[in-house]
Amino acid sequence: MEWSQIFTLAAKEFRDRIRNRWVLAVALVFTVFSLVITYLGGAQQGQIGLKSVELTITSLVSLVIYLIPLIALLLGFDAIVGERERGSLDLLLALPITRMELLLGKYLGLASALTLSTTAGFSLVAILLYQQFSWPGLFHYLGFMISSVLLGLAFLSLAVFMSVVARERTRASGLAIALWFFFVLVFDLLLLGALVSTGGSYGGDIFAYALLLNPADVFRILNVFSLEDVRTLYGLSSIIPPALAKPWMMGSVMLAWIIVPLALARWRFKS
């Protein structure tokens, strides 16, 4: 595997996203929404503006869970199937490049664009937090930003896998939207319905560990348990066992959500 060819493909993919101003558009969306939510997120508690790092992170968690997975899925759903429909996939594979190098190059380029847009969109809030709370506040917020990037990369891996599996671009886009609905909207409702229908007999730890099957819930748990004050703001924290209340463990699960879909995409693409 030639890393120089992988980085060349990644750089081309990244330049394409910069050229069509995708990164700029997403960064502006994140900037506007993050500023509005940061200043108005505590309105229900009768607070407006930057009151604490904990309240800021809590307010932005919902924005990240709804917006970043959708953007990542829309970014990556046509990474491979789009090339196939345009007829350029056979041309690329005719070059001295392997399928694995092509897949990794595509993914790294898209991941770079997504990471840049996410960090740029949240950077203005980071500057405001640093001015008001200095380094202690910025430290926890940087952890939130890193976990947001990991969430985006996890859904980007799922999108690339769907792009490899699907034979048509329209089918890949439908699968991407279906994944967003399932993980962001439906998954928790199914778990809650199962918990209610069983009268709570099979709740507790089983329910908590089932949340690990959803990268959006892993992100929520990771940020809920990152700060003491944040844990008290979520009723979800009362059902999470102490074994899962460790950032390094949730970070490892999020990395697994990035690696496993990519490994499956590699296996499917090679076959």
Side-chain angles (χ1 to χ4, degrees), residues 1-255:
M1 188 166 58
E2 294 289 339
W3 283 101
S4 60
Q5 295 184 358
I6 294 174
F7 290 139
T8 300
L9 281 170
K12 177 188 178 299
E13 195 72 29
F14 180 77
R15 286 195 302 269
D16 290 342
R17 301 299 168 177
I18 295 291
R19 206 174 297 129
N20 64 17
R21 303 187 180 174
W22 183 93
V23 173
L24 177 61
V26 174
L28 287 176
V29 169
F30 280 135
T31 300
V32 172
F33 276 96
S34 61
L35 285 176
V36 171
I37 292 177
T38 296
Y39 276 94
L40 302 180
Q44 293 180 344
Q45 289 80 26
Q47 298 177 339
I48 300 296
L50 291 172
K51 299 300 182 181
S52 67
V53 178
E54 293 82 4
L55 185 60
T56 299
I57 292 177
T58 304
S59 302
L60 292 175
V61 162
S62 296
L63 169 68
V64 171
I65 288 177
Y66 280 98
L67 201 56
I68 286 185
L70 180 62
I71 291 175
L73 289 169
L74 293 179
L75 175 64
F77 80 90
D78 65 340
I80 300 299
V81 72
E83 298 283 359
R84 184 184 291 119
E85 282 200 351
R86 288 189 294 267
S88 56
L89 181 60
D90 292 335
L91 179 61
L92 287 172
L93 294 177
L95 300 174
I97 183 174
T98 65
R99 290 174 179 258
M100 181 60 182
E101 292 169 350
L102 175 61
L103 187 67
L104 276 181
K106 284 277 189 179
Y107 179 81
L108 290 178
L110 296 174
S112 300
L114 182 62
T115 300
L116 177 60
S117 60
T118 302
T119 54
F122 288 135
S123 60
L124 186 55
V125 175
I127 295 174
L128 296 176
L129 288 174
Y130 175 72
Q131 291 177 346
Q132 186 158 347
F133 303 108
S134 188
W135 281 111
L138 186 60
F139 173 78
H140 294 299
Y141 184 76
L142 288 178
F144 163 77
M145 290 178 61
I146 293 173
S147 64
S148 300
V149 171
L150 292 178
L151 177 67
L153 296 182
F155 275 92
L156 182 62
S157 296
L158 290 171
V160 171
F161 175 65
M162 291 296 102
S163 184
V164 171
V165 172
R167 291 297 177 181
E168 299 176 357
R169 191 172 182 272
T170 53
R171 183 173 298 179
S173 63
L175 289 174
I177 298 300
L179 278 178
W180 183 82
F181 269 100
F182 176 74
F183 283 119
V184 176
L185 301 176
V186 178
F187 184 87
D188 289 345
L189 291 178
L190 291 177
L191 288 185
L192 183 60
L195 187 65
V196 172
S197 62
T198 58
S201 302
Y202 300 98
D205 288 354
I206 296 178
F207 179 81
Y209 283 101
L211 294 175
L212 303 183
L213 300 176
N214 185 351
D217 283 327
V218 174
F219 169 80
R220 183 183 288 113
I221 295 172
L222 180 60
N223 286 280
V224 164
F225 284 94
S226 62
L227 296 171
E228 181 67 28
D229 291 341
V230 176
R231 293 200 294 264
T232 63
L233 293 175
Y234 275 90
L236 181 65
S237 62
S238 61
I239 65 170
I240 302 298
L244 296 182
K246 299 176 181 179
W248 66 267
M249 180 175 290
M250 292 297 98
S252 300
V253 175
M254 190 68 78
L255 288 176

